[in-house]
Amino acid sequence: METVIADSDDAILGRFGGAAIMGGGEILYTDMDQKTILVFDKEGKYMTRFGRSGRGPGEFQTPRNITTDQDGYIYVVDSRNLRISIWNPDFSYSTDIPYRAGAGTQFIQANRSLFIFTRPFARLPSGFDRVTISEIDRNTGQVSPFFTYVIRDWFDVNRPFDSGSNLAITDDGVIVASGMIDQYPIRLVNTEGEVIREFGKSSKVVYYSEEEMQVRIDAANSIHPEYAARIAQGRKFKHIYSNIEICDRNWLWVHRNKEFGARDEIDIYSLDGEYETMVTIPPSENELQMLGIYGDKVLFHVTTPIGEVRLHVYKINYSNI
């Protein structure tokens, strides 16, 4: 492990909204409680913050997803303010682009282009739901439609993806989609919504037993009652993420985390779905979610057994892959 972002005397991590790594190695953390973006250097030391609570320029109501583009500009989804907020590489405010985010919103980088995926909360006049991918153009301030898929049956296990899917897009415009909570394999989908190929492994959802839940609540209560309340009211299943990223070597990384204390595994495939190899992360008592690959670094959102949130940055040694 190279860097750990955690609570310190200089910065307390509020409710997690998103994270990203800039070209210079600075780590960005979206704090939904303080409605701001915390900035840490590549060693994990707090540097500064930008944005504040409000509805005006440079202000946030619900900052969530965050990413950067090839030129170092920073993009933040602010769903309650109905916009994407754009910031300069020096953390000064630039502009806003109107955008109505829905469920499962996420940024997607592909071939120097930036896309955004979401499932709008408003249904179509037909009563069906849909998921959309749009392309963001910072220079024109426009968000243009790229792909729309109408979901006619939520119980159709053969649908290409849904709002819980994690996505990537190849330079050829092929959409790579994971299944929701790892129930379905990875799928390659063309812009007509047709599944080109399925590959990868699927896993069953595993629930905590009553005894396991009580252990988690007791451990959290020993730290702070608020942690215990969050766990008691939160999800009861062991989250098995299936997050995917395309690295700059045109490999598809598929992270399927396991239950607390187990070894995390990242399967690596070619972009046409051929299995290449596996990368493992040593067992720990934490739950990991891969957020992104940035050159030779991979960023994880980490949850401890008592509900504390951290960011971990691992260095990729490609010579061993």
Side-chain angles (χ1 to χ4, degrees):
M1 191 188 312
E2 187 172 81
T3 307
V4 175
I5 305 297
D7 290 345
S8 67
D9 293 337
D10 297 319
I12 302 296
L13 304 182
R15 187 158 46 105
F16 175 78
I21 300 178
M22 300 188 67
E26 298 91 349
I27 302 164
L28 309 174
Y29 181 97
T30 303
D31 189 323
M32 295 183 64
D33 289 334
Q34 302 180 72
K35 305 184 190 306
T36 190
I37 311 299
L38 305 177
V39 184
F40 301 84
D41 67 16
K42 59 184 177 182
E43 306 299 328
K45 297 179 181 178
Y46 172 74
M47 292 174 56
T48 186
R49 66 182 63 201
F50 60 89
R52 62 184 182 184
S53 178
R55 297 188 178 277
E59 297 178 337
F60 299 117
Q61 282 293 303
T62 51
R64 295 188 64 91
N65 311 77
I66 187 169
T67 193
T68 62
D69 65 14
Q70 300 273 353
D71 299 317
Y73 286 87
I74 303 164
Y75 301 74
V76 184
V77 172
D78 188 354
S79 55
R80 190 168 296 174
N81 277 334
L82 304 177
R83 63 195 183 196
I84 298 170
S85 182
I86 303 178
W87 298 72
N88 297 308
D90 63 358
F91 312 125
S92 61
Y93 170 75
S94 175
T95 188
D96 293 317
I97 297 178
Y99 183 74
R100 186 181 294 271
T105 302
Q106 59 189 275
F107 287 112
I108 310 168
Q109 301 272 0
N111 194 23
R112 292 191 62 84
S113 296
L114 179 62
F115 299 88
I116 189 166
F117 168 85
T118 199
R119 176 176 68 81
F121 292 122
R123 289 186 166 181
L124 295 168
S126 61
F128 295 133
D129 286 309
R130 69 193 187 280
V131 294
T132 64
I133 301 176
S134 304
E135 186 171 2
I136 302 171
D137 189 325
R138 171 174 53 84
N139 296 319
T140 64
Q142 298 293 317
V143 177
S144 305
F146 172 77
F147 174 81
T148 297
Y149 180 78
V150 178
I151 300 175
R152 292 177 168 81
D153 182 1
W154 280 105
F155 297 99
D156 179 10
V157 297
N158 295 313
R159 66 184 185 276
F161 44 72
D162 55 29
S163 61
S165 296
N166 192 252
L167 303 181
I169 300 176
T170 70
D171 291 347
D172 297 330
V174 175
I175 302 166
V176 188
S178 70
M180 186 175 183
I181 318 178
D182 213 22
Q183 293 178 2
Y184 312 116
I186 306 301
R187 289 169 175 169
L188 302 181
V189 183
N190 63 24
T191 53
E192 302 299 320
E194 300 168 335
V195 177
I196 303 171
R197 182 175 181 182
E198 292 183 334
F199 58 94
K201 300 172 290 186
S202 296
S203 300
K204 295 181 179 179
V205 177
V206 180
Y207 290 88
Y208 290 104
S209 67
E210 292 184 7
E211 293 77 11
E212 288 175 323
M213 283 298 299
Q214 193 58 53
V215 168
R216 297 179 70 215
I217 293 170
D218 291 343
N221 196 50
S222 66
I223 302 298
H224 197 286
E226 182 179 344
Y227 288 145
R230 287 182 184 178
I231 289 178
Q233 297 171 10
R235 57 179 168 78
K236 302 300 188 293
F237 58 87
K238 299 177 180 180
H239 219 328
I240 303 178
Y241 297 100
S242 183
N243 291 332
I244 58 180
E245 293 285 338
I246 297 176
C247 73
D248 55 10
R249 299 195 176 203
N250 279 333
W251 287 341
L252 177 68
W253 290 51
V254 180
H255 174 228
R256 302 173 182 280
N257 81 321
K258 307 303 177 186
E259 61 193 70
F260 287 115
R263 183 182 71 178
D264 277 76
E265 301 171 350
I266 299 175
D267 293 324
I268 299 180
Y269 296 85
S270 65
L271 293 187
D272 59 3
E274 294 296 325
Y275 179 79
E276 299 289 342
T277 187
M278 177 193 293
V279 174
T280 61
I281 299 172
S284 75
E285 293 304 315
N286 300 320
E287 182 182 87
L288 277 66
Q289 177 189 7
M290 184 173 70
L291 298 177
I293 298 175
Y294 305 85
D296 64 349
K297 296 178 174 62
V298 56
L299 176 64
F300 287 93
H301 171 263
V302 177
T303 306
T304 69
I306 60 172
E308 295 174 313
V309 172
R310 300 173 183 170
L311 298 179
H312 287 182
V313 180
Y314 287 82
K315 185 175 179 61
I316 304 169
N317 187 350
Y318 281 109
S319 63
N320 293 334
I321 298 178

